[in-house]
Amino acid sequence: MKRHRNATAPGTDTATQNTSAAAAYNLFDLLSDEIVFAILDFLAASNPLDTKSFSLVCRSFYLVESRHRRVLRPLRHDHLPRILSRYPNVARLDLSLCPRITDASLALVSRTSSADSLRSIDLSRSRFFSYSGLLSLVLNCRNLVEIDLSNATQLRDAAASAVAEAKNLEKLWLGRCKLITDMGVGCIAVGCKKLKLISFKWCLGVTDLGVELIAVKCKELRSLDLSYLPVTNECLPAILKLQYLEDLVLEGCFGIDDDGLAALQHGCKSLKMLDMSSCQNITHVGLSSLISGAGRLQQLTLAYGSSVTLALANSLKMLPSLQSIKLDGCFVTSSGLKAIGSLCISLKELSLSKCVGVTDDGLSSLVIKQRDLKKLDITCCRKITDVSIAHITSTCTNLASLRMESCTLVPREAFVLVGQRCHLLEELDLTDNEIDDEGLKSISRCAKLSSLKLGICLNISDDGLSHIGAYCSKLTELDLYRSAGITDPGILAIASGCPDIEMINMSYCQDITDSSLISLSKCSKLKTFESRGCPLITSLGLAAIAVGCRQLNKLDIKKCHNISDAGMLPLSHFSQNLRQITLSYTSVTDVGLLSLASISCLQSITVLHLKGLTASGLAAALLACGGLIKVKLHASFKPLLPQLLFEHLEARGCVFEWRDKEFQAELDPQCWKLQLEDVAQ
Amino acid sequence: MDPEDEICGETWGTKSSLSNSLQEKSADFGSQQQLQKKWDNNNSSCIMDYGFRIGQQQPPFREQINNSIQGKNSNDNKPPEWDPSAMLNNLSFLEQKIHQLNDMVHLIITRKGRVPSKPDELLTQQQQQLITADLTSIIVQLISTAGTLLPSVKTIGQFSQFTPKPAAVSPEQQHQQPNNSMDVDHNYTTEEHEEHEDGEAEHLPPGSYEILQLEKEEILAPHTHFCTICGKGFKRDANLRMHMRGHGDEYKTPAALAKPPTIKEVSSAAAEPVMIKRYSCPFSGCKRNKDHKKFQPLKTILCVKNHYKRTHCDKSYVCSRCNTKKFSVMADLKTHEKHCGRDKWLCSCGTTFSRKDKLFGHIALFQGHTPAIPPDETKTVVALAHTDDPAADGGGLGDQALMDFKSVDDPVGAAAVASCFSPLNFDSCNFGGGFPDFNRQGFDDSEASFSFLLSGGSCNYSNQNTGGES
């Protein structure tokens, strides 16, 4: 701790200098807090890291920034004491990056000055806390309105009774709290009268009784998620009496069937969103009785349910304000699609992803009636051809999002139509399609395009991509996974034409070299970089990325054999925001891995098949990286490391995943695709 | 008395005597129904009148309270017979009864000679009441006996003027007295009426039953049956009768030892008209009190007792098993003890349920009640959480110390962990050279303890700041 003292001494000196300078002449003193806060709002909106630079300017700026911040997402639980005292006005505390939150941590939160201002806390990824910590939190933070306790599988009814003390609670997530039963839910129902949202997803201990009581006691409820609960028809009457209920999720409720729904006298009038995905026992009969009277329904999700027939479509006709239908994974008939097209007045969103039975006939007759369609998902509709695409592009010219992964019968000419007619496209997923350079050239007319996925498009080359780079300046996401025709000139075009790019995936584009990476290092906003299986990339290219793209937080360099420790060193020094890294099959050794310990954000590492890695080096690296949450290791390391080490790391909140896959040699792209098709069939 | 009323009374008088003569003790439903119909057809207007009258009437109540408390009196009522021999029998019984009364009054007089003490006073008071009650019952008996002989009510009505006023009647009751004979007659019709509608007794219209109200002391008195001779109290009538044997041979006769017939038996057998009785709780403001707007009468004296104790008394019986549940009625405690501990569904109000749905129904109904989580659950959870920590931390280290590699005090844990690095020379991990663009001044955290790994290279401020990133 000697260091600590040494470090603080000069710090105070600078601070005093700053204050004396500020006292002499500081324009910011003339501005009210509101104005400064407004400036900071803009600053934070453009780039959150800028507020950090702001706070480093001088002591008064530092204090202003402390008072301004409302949202905190600490990376480590051990930062909590310091940041909670630094930021007194925090309204939302997101602890989703801190797996280790103990009762002591929660008691600390409840003791700090921000306890009064705290309105929302996210504990969805945290473990190690219990009833007593929650109790001190809710008793001291009286203004708490949101608690996310998802994945808190250790919590029991007692914890639920502690939550029930939060009388002002409006939103509560209890997903996967499997040990909480009706008794705990009963406490919450009685205690939290103001609840507007509650999610019970996967709470297997909750039955009809608990749900009924929630519906009886919490009259204000707007949103109710009962996914995968063992509830039956019994709880429905009480739920449908809720006056303000807008969002009801009944996904995977196998206990609810047509008979129960048919017995209901009236549906819920206020309902706006209904999700009945994976409800095997509900057909159009039950659906129509549930949505009868629900005239305000806007969004209906029936994924993986009964087949979409004429009868089902007919039950939708009394829903005048329906805007979105999701039928993912359903069996679809042409007559059903036709009827949806003619009965629904103005659909904005339609999802037929992975639907069986979608034909040109059905889809065409649906889309020609729906001119306002904004989002269309026809992923894996393997029967459709250019006929459908022609109809879609000619009528739905307002399309903003088109997802058509694996529409393998659509010929390459059809994609030219997409570019010619749908200029407003922002999101386009053409993964595993026949699109070629002509298509890309045409698509480059969509100036608003921000997300483009061209994975497994074997017909495209640098020529096509350079058109995208030249005209789609707003591109933020580009996926070129296994599009083997792409080489350095294509990436260069993107790097120079799309400065806002945040995500790029060029995995298995085997001809990519360091020059691509050097050109991409100009894109300072790059956050996700994936270049699996690019054997020509070396540490030099990685160093360029590390220096240029300071915001990088996800890096995947699996199977880049030429990357070694020399690439890790600049990474560890410059990429201070790196959260996730995959190093499998590279030439990184103990030294490189250990150097990553200086990246304090680092949470997830995957190190499989590193030839230069020894057990002791791995152990040192694991101990040194204090923030690790997830580590993927080869099973051969398990016996080599002491059990105590694993216990120690697991107590920090780290989870180990063991893999024992054999070392795999890489296949060439064509071969790989043939193999993929074999699997798909 | 208006003419219409008289007519009604007349018709009824005949009918009642007829029914008595024909059916004697047993109450034949069919014929009574017939009678009922006739009654209904003949003078529906009278029903109204009668209802009104019943509502007003008060005097017989006192008597009936006494009847019911000292159940002995009902013993004296013998069913009247049509034939003269039965009549003679009846009259001789009445004579005997008057004799008994005579004796009792004598006894009181002799006792008055002694120095009066408090319990004695109470005893004489009770005996006075007893005498009054007996007298009234004799009168009623007399009237009803006469009623079987005489063809018209008009004549019975004349008896009313002979009715002696009971000593304890209030002025209000006195005021009602002239109607007494008429009421008696109507009471009979009520009885018929009620039997006909048996089972629907709980939806009695107000006024269709007589309301009795016991005083608090009477309700809470441990004994309800008192020996007329020595004044000893008993809980049960049977015990009293057994006791009475000790006072002389006259109490050993089978008649004296026989169980007195219930009110129903008496009323169905006797010509004496007995009105259906309901009870009022003396606690004013109680829903069971007759002055309450939505008065709901209690059915029996036992109900009164239990109601009063449960609602208006302290709960003095505590369950010895759970030490939480309290009862004011011993029987309730015993019922509870039978299944105490077996009901696992507990409400915050202390009520337990054998079924979860019953508990949830209860919670849905009442404001502020919550399901009570068994206390052992919270304890085990806390205990688990605590045992988790030290083991996981490698020997009782705090959260802070967890990351602080240098400051590991625990020799076992530290040594074990450190042993993994032995082959690796940490000096080789010094990547040297601080980076000038990362100023760590004034900011530090536990990460600094890794300084042996990265001399000055770690960028603690940025760690912390990105930690605060939204």
Side-chain angles (χ1 to χ4, degrees):
Chain A
M1 290 291 109
K2 211 188 253 171
R3 244 208 121 71
H4 183 83
R5 247 174 277 128
N6 290 343
T8 45
T12 39
D13 284 349
T14 3
T16 40
Q17 276 165 22
N18 281 346
T19 33
S20 57
Y25 185 69
N26 188 354
L27 277 175
F28 269 83
D29 287 344
L30 302 173
L31 301 176
S32 69
D33 273 3
E34 284 77 18
I35 295 171
V36 180
F37 282 3
I39 295 169
L40 277 171
D41 282 340
F42 280 113
L43 211 57
S46 64
N47 183 359
L49 290 177
D50 290 348
T51 52
K52 173 192 156 189
S53 315
F54 176 84
S55 71
L56 286 173
V57 170
C58 67
R59 196 178 173 82
S60 69
F61 278 20
Y62 179 83
L63 292 173
V64 165
E65 202 269 333
S66 305
R67 278 183 287 130
H68 171 257
R69 190 182 278 271
R70 296 286 180 274
V71 182
L72 269 187
R73 191 153 70 125
L75 277 164
R76 306 264 198 98
H77 72 275
D78 37 335
H79 295 321
L80 264 180
R82 185 125 14 98
I83 59 168
L84 284 174
S85 59
R86 176 174 167 183
Y87 298 107
N89 296 327
V90 165
R92 176 171 165 77
L93 186 57
D94 184 347
L95 296 172
S96 57
L97 299 175
C98 306
R100 185 185 172 85
I101 293 294
T102 59
D103 287 342
S105 319
L106 289 181
L108 183 84
V109 173
S110 61
R111 274 200 308 273
T112 52
S113 53
S114 57
D116 285 333
S117 63
L118 195 66
R119 291 173 53 80
S120 164
I121 189 163
D122 187 343
L123 294 165
S124 61
R125 303 280 163 167
S126 311
R127 300 186 295 268
F128 303 104
F129 61 89
S130 74
Y131 156 79
S132 50
L134 275 178
L135 193 65
S136 73
L137 181 75
V138 297
L139 287 180
N140 291 304
C141 306
R142 304 307 302 188
N143 294 320
L144 215 53
V145 291
E146 287 183 28
I147 303 183
D148 192 340
L149 290 174
S150 304
N151 306 314
T153 44
Q154 80 280 13
L155 294 187
R156 290 175 175 276
D157 287 339
S161 72
V163 172
E165 297 295 322
K167 304 289 177 205
N168 294 319
L169 205 63
E170 288 177 10
K171 295 184 178 181
L172 178 63
W173 290 268
L174 291 172
R176 281 186 71 222
C177 292
K178 292 178 185 173
L179 296 179
I180 289 182
T181 70
D182 290 335
M183 296 295 275
V185 172
C187 291
I188 291 168
V190 174
C192 312
K193 287 261 185 285
K194 296 181 184 170
L195 269 184
K196 291 204 169 85
L197 178 148
I198 191 160
S199 167
F200 288 123
K201 194 168 185 171
W202 283 115
C203 289
L204 298 175
V206 178
T207 67
D208 285 332
L209 292 171
V211 173
E212 248 183 306
L213 197 65
I214 282 278
V216 166
K217 295 283 182 183
C218 306
K219 296 284 183 204
E220 301 279 300
L221 221 52
R222 288 338 187 236
S223 172
L224 182 61
D225 188 344
L226 303 176
S227 308
Y228 301 98
L229 246 56
V231 292
T232 67
N233 300 323
E234 303 250 317
C235 67
L236 286 174
I239 292 170
L240 295 181
K241 276 187 197 132
L242 285 168
Q243 223 178 331
Y244 306 108
L245 191 69
E246 289 176 358
D247 182 5
L248 179 62
V249 185
L250 296 172
E251 187 181 342
C253 293
F254 304 122
I256 297 176
D257 58 25
D258 280 350
D259 297 341
L261 292 171
L264 298 168
Q265 291 299 311
H266 55 87
C268 190
K269 287 193 176 59
S270 54
L271 214 57
K272 284 186 180 160
M273 284 182 267
L274 177 65
D275 186 344
M276 301 216 310
S277 303
S278 309
C279 289
Q280 296 163 345
N281 299 324
I282 300 178
T283 66
H284 63 91
V285 182
L287 180 72
S288 58
S289 62
L290 188 61
I291 60 179
S292 67
R296 291 187 219 161
L297 199 71
Q298 293 176 353
Q299 197 176 318
L300 183 62
T301 308
L302 299 171
Y304 303 96
S306 64
S307 53
V308 180
T309 57
L310 194 61
L312 186 118
N314 278 332
S315 63
L316 304 180
K317 73 178 163 201
M318 54 277 205
L319 303 172
S321 38
L322 196 64
Q323 292 182 347
S324 162
I325 305 182
K326 290 182 181 162
L327 300 168
D328 304 1
C330 289
F331 179 78
V332 172
T333 63
S334 293
S335 56
L337 285 182
K338 235 177 242 177
I340 289 175
S342 52
L343 290 172
C344 296
I345 296 162
S346 62
L347 284 183
K348 292 201 163 59
E349 191 180 347
L350 176 67
S351 179
L352 296 169
S353 155
K354 294 168 196 167
C355 283
V356 181
V358 180
T359 57
D360 279 339
D361 180 33
L363 188 59
S364 305
S365 51
L366 195 159
V367 293
I368 51 170
K369 298 272 176 59
Q370 304 295 338
R371 298 191 162 271
D372 294 333
L373 215 56
K374 289 241 162 30
K375 291 179 88 174
L376 179 63
D377 190 342
I378 45 173
T379 302
C380 295
C381 292
R382 295 177 192 275
K383 287 181 187 166
I384 62 166
T385 64
D386 52 340
V387 179
S388 291
I389 301 301
H391 279 110
I392 289 168
T393 51
S394 60
T395 46
C396 313
T397 47
N398 291 328
L399 265 186
S401 164
L402 177 62
R403 292 158 155 260
M404 46 180 296
E405 179 180 342
S406 297
C407 293
T408 38
L409 289 185
V410 177
R412 55 183 73 187
E413 296 79 25
F415 297 98
V416 180
L417 296 176
V418 174
Q420 278 173 352
R421 293 170 180 171
C422 304
H423 296 292
L424 301 174
L425 275 176
E426 290 168 29
E427 185 190 8
L428 184 58
D429 186 349
L430 300 174
T431 307
D432 192 15
N433 272 305
E434 294 296 319
I435 185 167
D436 60 1
D437 287 344
E438 279 304 305
L440 278 184
K441 188 180 174 186
S442 158
I443 282 165
S444 67
R445 296 186 205 180
C446 307
K448 286 185 169 182
L449 204 64
S450 76
S451 168
L452 179 61
K453 298 200 170 165
L454 297 169
I456 327 175
C457 292
L458 302 179
N459 301 328
I460 59 170
S461 72
D462 293 336
D463 289 345
L465 202 60
S466 57
H467 288 290
I468 299 289
Y471 299 106
C472 304
S473 57
K474 292 189 176 169
L475 204 65
T476 57
E477 265 184 63
L478 179 63
D479 186 354
L480 298 167
Y481 178 84
R482 285 192 195 267
S483 293
I486 303 297
T487 62
D488 289 339
I491 302 296
L492 181 68
I494 293 295
S496 53
C498 312
D500 291 339
I501 197 114
E502 288 177 13
M503 187 285 251
I504 189 161
N505 185 348
M506 42 197 198
S507 302
Y508 304 104
C509 297
Q510 291 176 320
D511 299 328
I512 298 284
T513 67
D514 283 344
S515 62
S516 286
L517 273 65
I518 291 163
S519 60
L520 277 173
S521 66
K522 283 185 287 183
C523 306
S524 59
K525 292 185 178 173
L526 197 67
K527 286 188 176 128
T528 304
F529 179 79
E530 294 187 41
S531 64
R532 283 189 183 192
C534 297
L536 302 179
I537 294 177
T538 67
S539 299
L540 192 69
L542 191 62
I545 291 283
V547 173
C549 312
R550 298 289 181 93
Q551 293 190 35
L552 196 70
N553 67 31
K554 187 178 172 192
L555 177 67
D556 189 340
I557 45 172
K558 181 178 169 181
K559 294 185 181 170
C560 295
H561 308 295
N562 288 324
I563 290 180
S564 65
D565 292 343
M568 293 298 108
L569 297 183
L571 204 64
S572 62
H573 294 144
F574 296 104
S575 300
Q576 286 300 317
N577 294 307
L578 197 66
R579 300 255 173 90
Q580 194 177 332
I581 188 165
T582 306
L583 294 171
S584 309
Y585 298 93
T586 57
S587 307
V588 174
T589 67
D590 290 349
V591 179
L593 196 61
L594 201 52
S595 71
L596 291 179
S598 70
I599 305 172
S600 71
C601 296
L602 197 63
Q603 291 185 318
S604 167
I605 58 173
T606 305
V607 277
L608 298 167
H609 300 288
L610 287 189
K611 278 178 191 154
L613 190 66
T614 64
S616 50
L618 178 64
L622 290 179
L623 279 168
C625 297
L628 282 182
I629 290 176
K630 192 167 140 188
V631 179
K632 245 188 227 182
L633 290 174
H634 198 267
S636 61
F637 281 113
K638 207 172 184 178
L640 299 175
L641 295 174
Q643 191 57 34
L644 205 64
L645 177 85
F646 295 126
E647 283 172 11
H648 175 80
L649 289 168
E650 274 162 8
R652 281 180 184 175
C654 184
V655 176
F656 287 92
E657 284 183 25
W658 299 99
R659 294 284 180 275
D660 55 355
K661 258 200 297 194
E662 287 300 306
F663 188 90
Q664 278 179 331
E666 193 45 43
L667 298 165
D668 74 289
Q670 289 291 350
C671 198
W672 181 85
K673 194 175 176 185
L674 287 174
Q675 216 174 43
L676 183 77
E677 277 161 6
D678 284 346
V679 173
Q681 277 157 13
Chain B
M1 209 170 271
D2 55 355
E4 205 185 319
D5 221 359
E6 279 176 51
I7 292 165
C8 141
E10 240 169 1
T11 357
W12 182 242
T14 345
K15 293 280 144 52
S16 73
S17 57
L18 194 71
S19 79
N20 269 326
S21 63
L22 288 177
Q23 276 100 36
E24 297 205 347
K25 290 184 186 182
S26 68
D28 186 320
F29 242 96
S31 69
Q32 281 189 359
Q33 253 172 338
Q34 255 181 351
L35 285 176
Q36 189 61 44
K37 264 181 205 162
K38 231 170 201 167
W39 163 261
D40 284 340
N41 291 341
N42 283 355
N43 31 38
S44 52
S45 64
C46 281
I47 295 175
M48 306 287 283
D49 191 279
Y50 133 87
F52 169 66
R53 195 87 49 89
I54 299 291
Q56 277 186 334
Q57 71 169 14
Q58 286 284 336
F61 290 1
R62 192 83 203 163
E63 163 213 331
Q64 255 134 16
I65 291 170
N66 289 332
N67 266 352
S68 44
I69 293 175
Q70 282 112 4
K72 192 170 169 254
N73 293 340
S74 46
N75 211 2
D76 308 330
N77 300 338
K78 283 268 164 81
E81 299 287 301
W82 176 233
D83 57 327
S85 64
M87 178 59 72
L88 192 70
N89 210 6
N90 244 350
L91 286 175
S92 62
F93 176 76
L94 276 173
E95 196 181 10
Q96 198 189 331
K97 186 81 199 174
I98 289 165
H99 261 292
Q100 273 183 9
L101 268 178
N102 207 7
D103 286 349
M104 206 186 285
V105 175
H106 261 295
L107 195 78
I108 292 167
I109 290 163
T110 50
R111 233 182 244 172
K112 268 191 179 160
R114 284 187 248 158
V115 190
S117 63
K118 249 207 168 156
D120 262 359
E121 240 170 35
L122 192 75
L123 193 69
T124 43
Q125 209 182 344
Q126 275 174 350
Q127 275 170 341
Q128 263 175 9
Q129 280 175 2
L130 204 66
I131 290 161
T132 322
D134 272 6
L135 271 174
T136 356
S137 88
I138 289 166
I139 292 157
V140 171
Q141 187 96 34
L142 201 63
I143 292 165
S144 59
T145 315
T148 57
L149 286 172
L150 300 168
S152 80
V153 174
K154 208 173 178 183
T155 3
I156 300 168
Q158 285 166 352
F159 276 91
S160 63
Q161 59 196 343
F162 300 120
T163 312
K165 284 164 191 170
V169 284
S170 62
E172 192 198 332
Q173 285 169 329
Q174 279 176 24
H175 174 74
Q176 296 285 330
Q177 210 56 41
N179 281 338
N180 213 8
S181 64
M182 205 54 217
D183 288 335
V184 165
D185 215 69
H186 281 288
N187 281 350
Y188 185 76
T189 63
T190 326
E191 182 56 35
E192 298 276 285
H193 202 81
E194 285 308 321
E195 270 188 19
H196 174 56
E197 294 178 348
D198 204 6
E200 293 167 35
E202 277 331 284
H203 305 291
L204 298 171
S208 64
Y209 49 86
E210 47 182 344
I211 304 166
L212 312 182
Q213 182 170 302
L214 281 74
E215 288 312 310
K216 185 189 165 193
E217 289 75 21
E218 287 177 289
I219 293 170
L220 295 179
H223 303 136
T224 46
H225 303 277
F226 293 95
C227 173
T228 50
I229 295 159
C230 66
K232 191 171 179 201
F234 297 92
K235 273 186 187 167
R236 289 164 202 268
D237 176 53
N239 292 350
L240 174 65
R241 271 181 276 126
M242 296 309 277
H243 163 84
M244 291 308 280
R245 290 185 307 174
H247 284 301
D249 284 343
E250 68 263 39
Y251 298 107
K252 288 180 183 168
T253 59
L257 284 171
K259 191 184 175 192
T262 62
I263 298 165
K264 223 171 197 177
E265 279 167 13
V266 171
S267 60
S268 62
E272 185 208 349
V274 181
M275 203 182 179
I276 187 159
K277 283 180 222 132
R278 286 295 178 262
Y279 298 86
S280 156
C281 169
F283 195 91
S284 88
C286 172
K287 203 178 182 183
R288 303 296 199 169
N289 183 274
K290 62 179 183 249
D291 297 329
H292 193 276
K293 259 188 246 166
K294 293 176 179 172
F295 171 56
Q296 285 190 337
L298 292 151
K299 249 185 169 177
T300 64
I301 291 185
L302 196 68
C303 292
V304 176
K305 287 184 159 202
N306 283 341
H307 159 77
Y308 194 84
K309 283 183 191 165
R310 280 178 188 142
T311 329
H312 310 300
C313 292
D314 289 339
K315 297 183 173 181
S316 47
Y317 302 114
V318 184
C319 172
S320 56
R321 209 179 299 181
C322 62
N323 274 323
T324 48
K325 297 279 281 181
K326 291 175 181 177
F327 304 91
S328 48
V329 178
M330 180 57 104
D332 292 354
L333 172 67
K334 292 203 168 139
T335 317
H336 162 77
E337 277 180 336
K338 268 184 216 159
H339 56 87
C340 176
R342 279 201 288 160
D343 290 348
K344 51 179 184 166
W345 304 110
L346 183 67
C347 176
S348 58
C349 68
T351 320
T352 55
F353 298 87
S354 54
R355 286 168 53 178
K356 188 158 82 167
D357 53 335
K358 299 288 173 200
L359 168 66
F360 276 73
H362 167 86
I363 289 162
L365 197 62
F366 295 101
Q367 291 287 313
H369 290 212
T370 64
I373 311 296
D376 53 309
E377 192 180 309
T378 65
K379 273 179 208 159
T380 51
V381 168
V382 174
L384 269 176
H386 281 291
T387 49
D388 248 0
D389 284 10
D393 288 358
L397 300 175
D399 287 349
Q400 283 294 334
L402 191 67
M403 302 299 153
D404 200 340
F405 209 59
K406 260 187 176 172
S407 69
V408 173
D409 299 321
D410 183 0
V412 185
V417 171
S419 67
C420 334
F421 315 115
S422 45
L424 191 80
N425 185 2
F426 284 121
D427 291 344
S428 69
C429 300
N430 279 345
F431 304 112
F435 285 79
D437 46 340
F438 290 103
N439 189 350
R440 50 183 295 148
Q441 282 171 347
F443 307 99
D444 207 338
D445 63 8
S446 56
E447 208 62 29
S449 50
F450 285 113
S451 51
F452 68 98
L453 284 176
L454 314 151
S455 61
S458 77
C459 318
N460 283 294
Y461 177 66
S462 74
N463 296 351
Q464 192 212 335
N465 211 335
T466 42
E469 184 191 329
S470 55

